[in-house]
Amino acid sequence: MGTLKYALLGLLNQKSLTGYDLMKEFETTVSEFWYAKHSQIYPELKKLTDDGLVEFKVETVGSAMQKKVYSITGKGREEFLDWMLEKCPLEHTPKSEFRLRVFFSSALEPQARLVLLQEQLEKYRGRLKHLQSNFEKFPQVPPQGSDAFGDYMVLMGAIMRDEYICNWLAKCIDLCKNAE
Amino acid sequence: MGTLKYALLGLLNQKSLTGYDLMKEFETTVSEFWYAKHSQIYPELKKLTDDGLVEFKVETVGSAMQKKVYSITGKGREEFLDWMLEKCPLEHTPKSEFRLRVFFSSALEPQARLVLLQEQLEKYRGRLKHLQSNFEKFPQVPPQGSDAFGDYMVLMGAIMRDEYICNWLAKCIDLCKNAE
DNA sequence: GGCTACATGTAAGCGGTTACATGATTTA
DNA sequence: TAAATCATGTAACCGCTTACATGTAGCC
């Protein structure tokens, strides 16, 4: 796919950043739907530079430390927008080790099956609380043209996702208990 | 992770199958949460055989065509159950090209943003209908000890997942329309 | 002075996809 | 008899992770 390329271009389309900054983005905000390690980011930035989609200027921090601040070029913005307007096919449902275990769970004792589901439910409830507290940083819906609007939509999606997973797990736990 | 190994062991724990049968499983039932191409399955089966976790007997179909029917061994069943009882950590939220686009969608014209969301909604609504019709093959909840019970739980999860995505997309579309 | 964060790179290896390659059986 | 399906394998390549490797800056 080469999606990392567009993830980087999209972020640099919002503002200029260093490779390190981009790495941090993939660890925080963006991590809900994309991520990459620095070992993948730096070579990709080099390729984007060679292709004229981004450019950088070197800034010096302190006395010796140098960093490369990357900006998107006109050509880069063009390719990014082309990608944004492409048809977006339905994604394959993601692989899930947990669901694989649930699928095979008839191999477990009823008690172990229940533990499997309950432990997972606790973990998702914890993450849900965390996401909900993140959501409070938006006092109201951000204006549609702002970068925050996309942020708002995906965060809302993340919360709804964890809510559905909690509902699903609770339903499975009920089924297991009632069948005993 | 080496999860493919356990996916194969889990399926062979239910019944004996050929490499081709396993490939078909990954294209149908199991595809909701795991999948693999034959080019990955055949070498993995060879490895599992070398490790004594599965064994096969050759069956002849027609006059010349040979197929290998694989069965799980005692050692294989043991390793599979060990894996089933391991702690199952919270999975990283899956990468999604679509959500990436939604995140960046302030770069689009309001009309293009709406089209992006609406097209995706239509696709998910279509798949949801398909999943719901699959679900009708269960006249009632299967007994907890049967292989069908795991199948039932994950299919229920898949339906709930597509429902939540439809709800999320509908909500996003509303936001975009109200902000105009 | 020591720890954490900032900052940038390379190399080996793994999981997975795409493509190459072959041949038998069934069905229209 | 032609096409689709059954059936099994290998090889090249790609995206990504883990580990290797190095050095600076800020903070306690």
Side-chain angles (χ1 to χ4, degrees):
Chain A
M1 307 278 115
T3 308
L4 176 60
K5 168 178 166 178
Y6 299 105
L8 295 174
L9 287 177
L11 288 167
L12 294 175
N13 187 47
Q14 293 183 351
K15 61 173 182 284
S16 296
L17 296 164
T18 65
Y20 192 84
D21 294 333
L22 287 160
M23 181 191 78
K24 286 284 146 190
E25 290 291 318
F26 286 129
E27 281 174 3
T28 53
T29 347
V30 186
S31 75
E32 175 60 33
F33 47 87
W34 209 267
Y35 39 90
K37 306 284 168 72
H38 76 278
S39 55
Q40 204 186 353
I41 294 168
Y42 288 118
E44 188 70 31
L45 283 171
K46 191 170 179 286
K47 234 173 78 184
L48 293 176
T49 309
D50 292 344
D51 294 347
L53 305 176
V54 302
E55 57 193 8
F56 63 88
K57 53 181 180 202
V58 176
E59 279 185 15
T60 306
V61 184
S63 61
M65 202 169 114
Q66 299 211 312
K67 60 179 182 180
K68 296 180 178 173
V69 182
Y70 286 89
S71 309
I72 196 167
T73 64
K75 193 179 164 198
R77 192 167 286 114
E78 219 174 280
E79 277 207 29
F80 169 66
L81 284 173
D82 284 351
W83 173 77
M84 282 291 284
L85 291 168
E86 266 174 31
K87 287 259 175 283
C88 194
L90 201 59
E91 284 153 9
H92 199 147
T93 44
K95 289 182 180 182
S96 164
E97 223 178 289
F98 176 71
R99 277 170 200 248
L100 190 62
R101 285 175 214 235
V102 172
F103 181 72
F104 290 140
S105 68
S106 59
L108 292 175
E109 298 297 313
Q111 188 53 33
R113 178 161 50 242
L114 214 51
V115 168
L116 175 76
L117 295 164
Q118 280 167 337
E119 279 182 355
Q120 199 73 358
L121 179 55
E122 280 318 301
K123 281 171 200 153
Y124 273 104
R125 280 190 175 148
R127 197 173 71 180
L128 183 54
K129 267 184 196 157
H130 179 251
L131 287 172
Q132 280 166 337
S133 76
N134 275 3
F135 199 58
E136 284 164 21
K137 73 182 172 193
F138 295 105
Q140 73 259 322
V141 183
Q144 224 191 127
S146 70
D147 292 340
F149 188 66
D151 201 354
Y152 182 87
M153 284 194 289
V154 294
L155 184 52
M156 185 172 74
I159 289 170
M160 290 174 73
R161 176 179 180 274
D162 277 13
E163 279 172 347
Y164 117 77
I165 294 179
C166 287
N167 289 341
W168 171 58
L169 289 170
K171 219 165 169 174
C172 289
I173 289 168
D174 264 9
L175 282 180
C176 289
K177 282 185 175 165
N178 291 335
E180 269 179 276
Chain B
M1 308 277 115
T3 308
L4 176 61
K5 168 178 167 178
Y6 299 104
L8 295 174
L9 287 177
L11 288 167
L12 294 175
N13 187 48
Q14 293 183 350
K15 60 173 182 283
S16 296
L17 295 165
T18 66
Y20 192 83
D21 294 333
L22 287 161
M23 181 192 75
K24 286 284 147 189
E25 290 291 318
F26 286 129
E27 282 174 3
T28 54
T29 347
V30 186
S31 75
E32 174 62 32
F33 47 87
W34 209 265
Y35 38 90
K37 305 285 169 69
H38 76 279
S39 56
Q40 204 185 354
I41 294 168
Y42 289 118
E44 188 69 30
L45 282 172
K46 191 169 178 288
K47 233 174 77 185
L48 293 176
T49 308
D50 292 344
D51 294 348
L53 305 177
V54 303
E55 56 194 10
F56 64 87
K57 52 181 181 203
V58 176
E59 279 186 12
T60 306
V61 183
S63 61
M65 201 168 113
Q66 299 211 312
K67 61 179 181 179
K68 296 179 179 174
V69 183
Y70 286 88
S71 308
I72 195 167
T73 63
K75 192 178 165 197
R77 192 167 286 116
E78 218 174 283
E79 277 207 28
F80 169 66
L81 284 173
D82 284 350
W83 173 77
M84 282 291 284
L85 290 169
E86 266 174 32
K87 287 258 174 285
C88 194
L90 202 59
E91 284 153 9
H92 199 147
T93 44
K95 289 182 180 184
S96 164
E97 221 177 290
F98 177 70
R99 277 170 199 248
L100 191 64
R101 284 175 213 236
V102 172
F103 181 73
F104 290 139
S105 68
S106 58
L108 293 173
E109 298 297 313
Q111 188 53 33
R113 179 162 48 241
L114 214 52
V115 168
L116 175 75
L117 295 164
Q118 280 166 336
E119 280 183 355
Q120 199 75 357
L121 179 56
E122 280 319 300
K123 280 171 201 153
Y124 273 102
R125 279 191 176 148
R127 198 174 71 180
L128 183 54
K129 267 184 196 157
H130 178 253
L131 288 172
Q132 280 164 337
S133 76
N134 276 3
F135 198 58
E136 284 164 21
K137 74 181 171 192
F138 294 104
Q140 74 259 322
V141 183
Q144 224 192 126
S146 70
D147 291 341
F149 187 68
D151 201 354
Y152 183 87
M153 284 194 289
V154 293
L155 184 52
M156 185 174 73
I159 289 170
M160 289 174 74
R161 176 179 181 271
D162 277 13
E163 280 172 347
Y164 116 77
I165 294 178
C166 288
N167 290 340
W168 171 58
L169 289 169
K171 219 164 170 176
C172 289
I173 290 167
D174 264 9
L175 282 180
C176 289
K177 282 185 174 163
N178 291 336
E180 268 179 275

